[in-house]
């Protein structure tokens, strides 16, 4: 997603997007001695300055050490600099040129020709993939509004990686009133549905059964159609949140804070029930919301303390802060971000970053965003709908790589070497050489910036440990 946002900002046409995608991947190569992994994009600098300026002085650039300044910081910026369109996403996923041509990726001041992977190299990568399915199956995302959804891009990319050549994934604008009629028109070709607002609860009466996870929050975002015609509802948002946090090194916390008390907050509580060993403080605006959150806490068996929104700045000192509020609600809290924040999970992805997330990142804190959640819950949906395990990994999707990357891209590392555990994850290999020094975290546990070590001030709240199984609790 970050690569696609850069491609969107730097290009205008389909060909521009493809070329810029090659530029990004090539400049990130550890072996590229011309750029030394510095992207040197004006768009990232303008993004951090909230400006649009094509004339930026060298002194101005070199004096700014913000992580979004790609002239002074190696690798990708901490997160996307905008919302990429479908063309930019496709270019980031597959920057290769048309069949039979030769890719000539620019690396900076000069351009080097580099041949595409040979047929044998491409075949060796595909050998780990399942045999392509011939049966045509359908899936889609439903909601209203739905035009903004990125689910089709993610699911279609997963189908391509899994060899599901006959599968399609679409989106339909469907509201609560139209949902029953939509279900009546479905035929046996349908494998599953993804659901977004306002359908997550409206769909439940139309199903034959729902999982315990979905029942715990009365919300379904995934429907799978069985061979016998039974319709089963599940909620992948909850395990998706847990997986997104785990990818960023958060597997257990002693306490947490939740900003907001809407529908997303209930899913956040359910996710925290799996990773939080202590109390969760929820900051709310009204007594009605407070009563609602107490009800969810009792239902989910989570120790919850209700606090007034006026004291929300206190939440920012927690080991894990989950922001579930609409866009703009937490902007005023940005000024209260502590000097050494721990981890912020802001479930928004449009707009991104939020004011709070930007300030959090600038202070050196770890930020998990709505795009992380979107990718992880989509991976789980693909697994359920296709019956194929594993689906392409979230790390793979967010780095916008493919099993057959362009020849100039760093060679993929397949499982079991990949820490994400997915056999289809072509993450770049870490570079050889010494670590970044005492207390440094590598690119793998810092997120997905690039294959270099980034010294990060250790947080006093950082706790990365494997959870012990709790009897009776789903993992």
């Amino acid at each position: 997603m970050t690569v696609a946002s850069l491609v969107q900002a730097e290009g205008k046409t389909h060909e521009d997007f493809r070329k810029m995608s090659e530029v990004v991947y090539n400049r990130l190569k550890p072996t590229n001695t011309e750029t030394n992994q510095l992207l040197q994009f004006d768009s990232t600098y303008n993004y951090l300055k909230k400006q649009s300026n094509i004339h930026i002085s060298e002194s101005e650039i070199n004096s700014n050490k913000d992580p979004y300044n790609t002239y002074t910081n190696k690798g990708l910026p901490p997160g996307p600099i905008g919302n990429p369109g479908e063309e930019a996403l496709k270019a980031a996923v597959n920057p290769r040129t048309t069949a039979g041509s030769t890719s000539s990726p620019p690396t900076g001041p000069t351009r080097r020709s580099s041949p595409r992977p040979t047929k044998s190299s491409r075949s060796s990568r595909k050998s780990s993939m399942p045999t392509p399915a011939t049966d045509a199956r359908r899936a889609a995302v439903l909601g209203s509004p739905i035009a903004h959804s990125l689910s089709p891009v993610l699911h279609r990319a997963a189908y391509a990686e899994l060899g599901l050549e006959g599968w399609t994934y679409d989106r339909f604008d469907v509201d609560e009133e139209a949902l029953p009629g939509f279900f009546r028109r479905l035929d046996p070709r349908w494998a599953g549905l993804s659901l977004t607002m306002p359908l997550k609860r409206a769909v439940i009466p139309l199903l034959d059964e729902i999982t315990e996870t979905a029942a715990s929050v009365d919300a379904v975002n995934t429907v799978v159609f069985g061979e016998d015609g039974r319709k089963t509802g599940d909620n992948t948002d909850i395990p998706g949140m847990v997986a997104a946090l785990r990818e960023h090194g958060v597997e257990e916390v002693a306490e947490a804070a939740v900003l907001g008390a809407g529908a997303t907050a209930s899913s956040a509580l359910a996710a925290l029930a799996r990773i939080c060993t202590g109390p969760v403080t929820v900051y709310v605006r009204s007594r009605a919301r407070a009563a609602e959150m107490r009800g969810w806490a009792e239902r989910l068996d989570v120790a919850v303390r209700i606090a007034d929104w006026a004291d929300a700045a206190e939440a920012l000192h927690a080991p894990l802060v989950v922001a579930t509020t609409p866009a703009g609600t937490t902007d005023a809290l940005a000024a209260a971000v502590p000097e050494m924040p721990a981890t912020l999970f802001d479930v928004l992805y449009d707009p991104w970053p939020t004011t709070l997330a930007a300030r959090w990142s600038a202070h050196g804190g770890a930020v998990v965003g709505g795009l992380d959640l979107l990718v992880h819950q989509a991976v789980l949906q693909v697994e359920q709908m296709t019956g194929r395990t594993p689906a392409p990994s979230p790390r793979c999707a967010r780095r916008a790589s493919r099993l057959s990357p362009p020849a100039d891209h760093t060679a993929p590392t397949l499982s079991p070497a990949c820490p994400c555990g997915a056999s289809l994850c072509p993450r770049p290999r870490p570079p050889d050489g010494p670590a970044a020094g005492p207390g440094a975290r590598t690119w793998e546990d810092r997120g997905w910036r690039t294959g270099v070590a980034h010294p990060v001030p250790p947080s006093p709240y950082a706790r990365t440990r494997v959870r012990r199984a709790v009897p009776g609790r789903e993992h």
Side-chain angles (χ1 to χ4, degrees):
M1 289 299 178
T2 297
V3 172
S5 71
L6 298 175
V7 168
Q8 182 73 53
E10 296 285 341
K12 293 183 178 180
T13 67
H14 172 78
E15 186 65 7
D16 288 344
F17 293 155
R18 183 190 65 76
K19 290 180 179 178
M20 291 311 304
S21 184
E22 290 183 332
V23 169
V24 173
Y25 290 130
N26 208 29
R27 291 187 182 182
L28 293 180
K29 288 174 59 177
T31 56
N32 189 337
T33 58
E34 291 187 43
T35 61
N36 295 312
Q37 297 176 288
L38 292 171
L39 289 179
Q40 299 179 329
F41 280 2
D42 288 349
S43 57
T44 59
Y45 187 83
N46 284 330
Y47 172 80
L48 76 91
K49 299 293 288 185
K50 297 182 179 180
Q51 65 183 21
S52 180
N53 185 6
I54 60 174
H55 301 293
I56 307 172
S57 68
E58 269 192 42
S59 60
E60 181 182 2
I61 288 175
N62 293 332
S63 63
N64 192 310
K65 303 303 180 183
D66 188 278
Y68 278 91
N69 183 358
T70 53
Y71 283 87
T72 57
N73 290 277
K74 293 183 177 182
L76 292 172
I81 63 171
N83 290 316
E86 187 166 349
E87 284 290 310
L89 283 162
K90 288 180 178 178
V93 168
N94 184 13
R96 292 176 298 167
T97 56
T98 56
S101 64
T102 301
S103 175
S104 301
T107 63
T110 62
R111 293 166 67 95
R112 292 180 179 174
S113 294
S114 181
R116 294 176 63 201
T118 62
K119 183 177 180 180
S120 61
S121 68
R122 293 196 298 271
S123 299
S124 65
R125 292 188 185 107
K126 290 183 179 179
S127 64
S128 63
M129 295 169 56
T131 302
T134 56
D135 293 339
R137 300 301 304 275
R138 297 191 66 183
V141 58
L142 313 182
S144 186
I146 200 62
H148 67 284
S149 175
L150 295 176
S151 292
V153 175
L154 296 174
H155 282 252
R156 291 169 188 168
Y159 297 164
E161 300 296 352
L162 291 172
L164 301 174
E165 296 174 356
W167 285 60
T168 61
Y169 190 97
D170 304 297
R171 58 184 166 211
F172 296 95
D173 195 302
V174 177
D175 59 18
E176 294 169 283
E177 184 178 352
L179 186 60
F182 187 94
F183 265 70
R184 285 193 296 268
R185 293 191 295 271
L186 298 178
D187 60 40
R189 291 178 300 165
W190 285 85
L193 296 170
S194 307
L195 300 168
T196 186
M197 299 304 291
L199 305 179
K200 293 186 178 183
R201 287 181 177 152
V203 73
I204 294 178
L206 305 177
L207 304 177
D208 296 303
E209 59 185 351
I210 63 174
T211 64
E212 290 184 7
T213 301
S216 69
V217 291
D218 285 340
V220 167
N221 78 327
T222 307
V223 176
V224 177
F225 301 106
E227 293 182 0
D228 58 358
R230 290 184 65 80
K231 300 179 288 292
T232 302
D234 193 14
N235 188 308
T236 63
D237 286 333
I238 296 169
M241 285 184 177
V242 175
L245 287 166
R246 182 180 296 121
E247 185 189 17
H248 286 258
V250 182
E251 298 195 7
E252 180 181 286
V253 291
E255 59 181 295
V258 175
L259 299 174
T264 307
S266 62
S267 293
L269 274 185
L272 290 171
R274 305 183 182 194
I275 67 170
C276 187
T277 61
V280 177
T281 304
V282 181
Y283 293 82
V284 303
R285 292 182 179 275
S286 68
R287 291 183 178 179
R289 289 294 193 185
E292 185 175 337
M293 293 310 294
R294 287 191 182 96
W296 286 117
E298 182 176 350
R299 185 170 180 173
L300 296 166
D301 193 24
V302 178
V304 164
R305 182 179 75 88
I306 303 298
D308 191 271
W309 185 263
D311 301 320
E314 297 176 3
L316 309 186
H317 296 274
L320 172 62
V321 181
V322 184
T324 69
T325 55
T329 306
T330 61
D331 288 358
L333 297 176
V337 173
E339 285 302 314
M340 294 183 64
T343 300
L344 170 68
F345 191 165
D346 196 325
V347 302
L348 291 174
Y349 70 86
D350 184 15
W352 187 261
T354 62
T355 302
L356 179 60
R359 179 65 64 87
W360 198 278
S361 179
H363 282 219
V367 176
V368 186
L371 285 173
D372 296 274
L373 171 59
L374 179 68
V375 171
H376 278 281
Q377 63 84 26
V379 166
L380 296 171
Q381 288 183 337
V382 169
E383 291 181 351
Q384 291 191 32
M385 293 180 191
T386 67
R388 300 293 181 90
T389 304
S393 77
R395 185 190 298 277
C396 164
R398 194 159 39 261
R399 289 192 61 84
S401 301
R402 283 184 69 89
L403 280 174
S404 300
D408 59 294
H409 193 276
T410 308
T413 301
L414 301 179
S415 71
C418 182
C420 75
S423 62
L424 303 181
C425 182
R427 66 182 179 87
R429 302 177 188 274
D432 297 327
R441 301 180 193 168
T442 67
W443 65 291
E444 289 177 286
D445 54 36
R446 185 56 177 153
W448 33 281
R449 296 178 70 175
T450 185
V452 294
H454 293 273
V456 179
S459 167
Y461 303 113
R463 300 181 62 182
T464 306
R465 58 177 67 173
V466 178
R467 292 188 67 236
R468 292 188 292 272
V470 179
R473 178 174 291 178
E474 183 182 354
H475 291 273

